[in-house]
Each structure stands twice: as structure tokens, then as C-alpha cells.
Amino acid sequence: MPRHSPPVSRFRSTEDALPKPRFAGRTAVVTGAARGIGAATALRLSQDGARVLLVDQLDQVEETANAMGQTGLILDLAEPGASASVLAQLDGMDVGPLDILVNNAGIGGSRLLPDSDDAHLLRLIEVNLRAVISLTRDLSPRLRRPGGRVVNVSSIFGMIGNAGTIGYGVAKAGIAQFSRQLATELGPKGITVNAIAPGVVATEMTQEHLKSSRYRQLQVAPIPLGRISQPHEQAAVIAFLASDEASFVSGAVLPVDGGFLATRHAPFSTE
């Protein structure tokens, strides 16, 4: 019988056979990146090959960025001229078009309406909504065309009513609608815009809340998966929306909440 020649590999070298990191050669800006969801997202993008600029008003952002071998920028995005500072930092990094913008920066501390004053409400709206719109507007000319990605971080509390989070909830609802609106504007340029709506996540923002038995009863017990999210689980969904795999997903607001919104099931006992 004739001997068959071994199949010729479609790879020319061992290097060719190795899969390239998902975001190799791409540049990302992640806001609110000193800790929590933002830090987890910056780490995920970095591990997948992206060059990442981490932005946060906390000094900790530099330490977080250095640990990843990335660049950190201490900046309050609600301050005048914030966008110019981000653009200047990108210029200093000598990068090309911006591939990914993740708008995660936000603050909590909402209250019942009668307990709120104008300064308190304005700060929540400024940081959680207005600053996101302004930064996205000013960075959008840098976004790659086609192929740019904008991923915003909304909240399940921007999708349902929840007593005591009126300022925060209204701002996060604005983020969801902003994402839909912007998807219609940037879509013709080949840029996708999406948002995630996290449920309760184990971050510094929720630490104090989780000490309350009433909070756990109302916000944690109804989660069908029976636990709260970890930041890396939110980051994984953000990375998907920023990737080529999500090239035909735009204008979506995706709950990442363990099924909380879909079912709102009552806690039950198996006893």
C-alpha cells in the first residue's frame, strides 16, 4: 500500500499556531478603574493584550495600573477640562485610534428624596451621568471607525424602582437610555454602544449595605443564583461586548444580576 504523507500543517511556525490575545494591539480607556468593576475590567482587557489607560479620582488608580504594567490617571471626571486631560494622556502614550471606551466611573450614597438636597442630587447626576456623556462626546472622534466599542455601566437600579436610590437610579437610567441613543448615532460609523446593568456586586460601594440584614433580605435573597456577583464576572461581560464576538450587538442594556430582574423569586426553604 502506498504510504501517505503526513498532513501539511496550516501553521508555518509554532508562533503562528498560538492564538493571539483577544485585544492585542488595541487601546482602551477604563474609568472608575482604581478598584471594583473598573479595576477588574482593566485587568481583563490588559491580560487579553490591550493597552489600557485607567482613570479614577482615587490616588489608588496609579498603584492599580502599575500592578498591571499599564498607565493610571488621577482625575475627577466631573471637573471642567477632564476630557482634555484624558486626551492629553492618550497623546502622551503615543497610541493610535481608541478602540474601547468603558464608562464605569460612578458614586453611590443616594438617599430618599425628602432627605436629599440640590448639591447632593447634582453630584450624583454630574458624576454618574453628565460626566459620562461629556467624556464619550469628547473621545468619540478618537474611536476606531469601524470597530470602536463603547461599553457603559448602568445598574439594575436604573431599570426598576428602589426606595432610597432616587438620585443614583435616575442617573443610571439615564446611562441606559444614553447607550441606546448613542448606538443609533455611532452605528453608521461602525461603532457599537452597549451597557451592562450590574446587580449587587462585591465592591467597596456595597460593603456597608451588605452589613444590613434588611438590605440582604431585599436585594440579595431574591437572587436566583443565591449569591452576589464578583467584579470579575462583570468584567467578563464587558470584555465580551468590547470584543469582535459582539460585533453585531449594539444598543443593548444587559442585566448581569444573577437573574434578579428576570424572576424576582421569593426566598424559599427546602426544609
Side-chain angles (χ1 to χ4, degrees):
M1 294 179 62
R3 297 181 62 183
H4 295 286
S5 300
V8 178
S9 172
R10 60 190 179 91
F11 300 112
R12 288 177 295 187
S13 68
T14 304
E15 276 190 14
D16 290 335
L18 296 175
K20 292 183 178 179
R22 180 158 42 165
F23 299 115
R26 301 188 190 184
T27 302
V29 171
V30 181
T31 70
R35 57 191 189 184
I37 295 172
T41 299
L43 178 61
R44 178 63 181 262
L45 298 177
S46 179
Q47 290 175 333
D48 278 350
R51 185 153 185 203
V52 187
L53 173 60
L54 291 78
V55 183
D56 202 295
Q57 64 179 344
L58 299 177
D59 294 350
Q60 182 184 343
V61 71
E62 291 188 335
E63 179 183 349
T64 302
N66 289 338
M68 302 175 194
Q70 300 289 357
T71 304
L73 175 62
I74 303 170
L75 182 66
D76 183 345
L77 289 166
E79 292 296 317
S83 296
S85 297
V86 175
L87 288 166
Q89 186 67 60
L90 287 171
D91 288 339
M93 293 167 62
D94 192 25
V95 296
L98 178 62
D99 298 281
I100 302 164
L101 172 60
V102 179
N103 287 306
N104 169 72
I107 57 173
S110 199
R111 307 169 187 164
L112 292 166
L113 185 60
D115 299 326
S116 302
D117 55 38
D118 286 351
H120 171 73
L121 290 170
L122 182 60
R123 179 64 178 168
L124 286 167
I125 299 297
E126 279 285 300
V127 175
N128 294 335
L129 180 57
R130 199 279 304 162
V132 173
I133 295 174
S134 296
L135 181 68
T136 307
R137 177 196 63 208
D138 296 341
L139 265 60
S140 61
R142 291 283 186 101
L143 286 168
R144 185 178 297 279
R145 290 163 166 75
R149 302 282 187 266
V150 179
V151 185
N152 300 316
V153 178
S154 181
S155 169
I156 61 169
F157 299 126
M159 303 176 77
I160 58 170
N162 185 63
T165 60
I166 194 162
Y168 179 83
V170 167
K172 289 299 186 178
I175 290 295
Q177 185 60 17
F178 171 61
S179 302
R180 299 182 190 102
Q181 294 284 142
L182 192 62
T184 67
E185 295 188 14
L186 295 185
K189 298 177 174 63
I191 298 169
T192 67
V193 184
N194 294 287
I196 66 166
V200 181
V201 185
T203 66
E204 289 80 357
M205 189 182 291
T206 59
Q207 279 181 348
E208 288 302 312
H209 293 302
L210 290 169
K211 294 177 182 178
S212 164
S213 59
R214 177 169 173 77
Y215 182 88
R216 294 195 304 273
Q217 178 186 21
L218 293 175
Q219 307 299 346
V220 180
I223 299 173
L225 289 182
R227 63 176 179 84
I228 64 175
S229 171
Q230 296 299 314
H232 71 85
E233 294 174 304
Q234 305 292 323
V237 181
I238 292 172
F240 164 69
L241 292 173
S243 73
D244 291 340
E245 286 88 345
S247 59
F248 204 63
V249 181
S250 197
V253 180
L254 180 60
V256 189
D257 63 354
F260 181 89
L261 289 181
T263 61
R264 296 302 306 275
H265 85 293
F268 64 91
S269 172
T270 56
E271 295 178 1

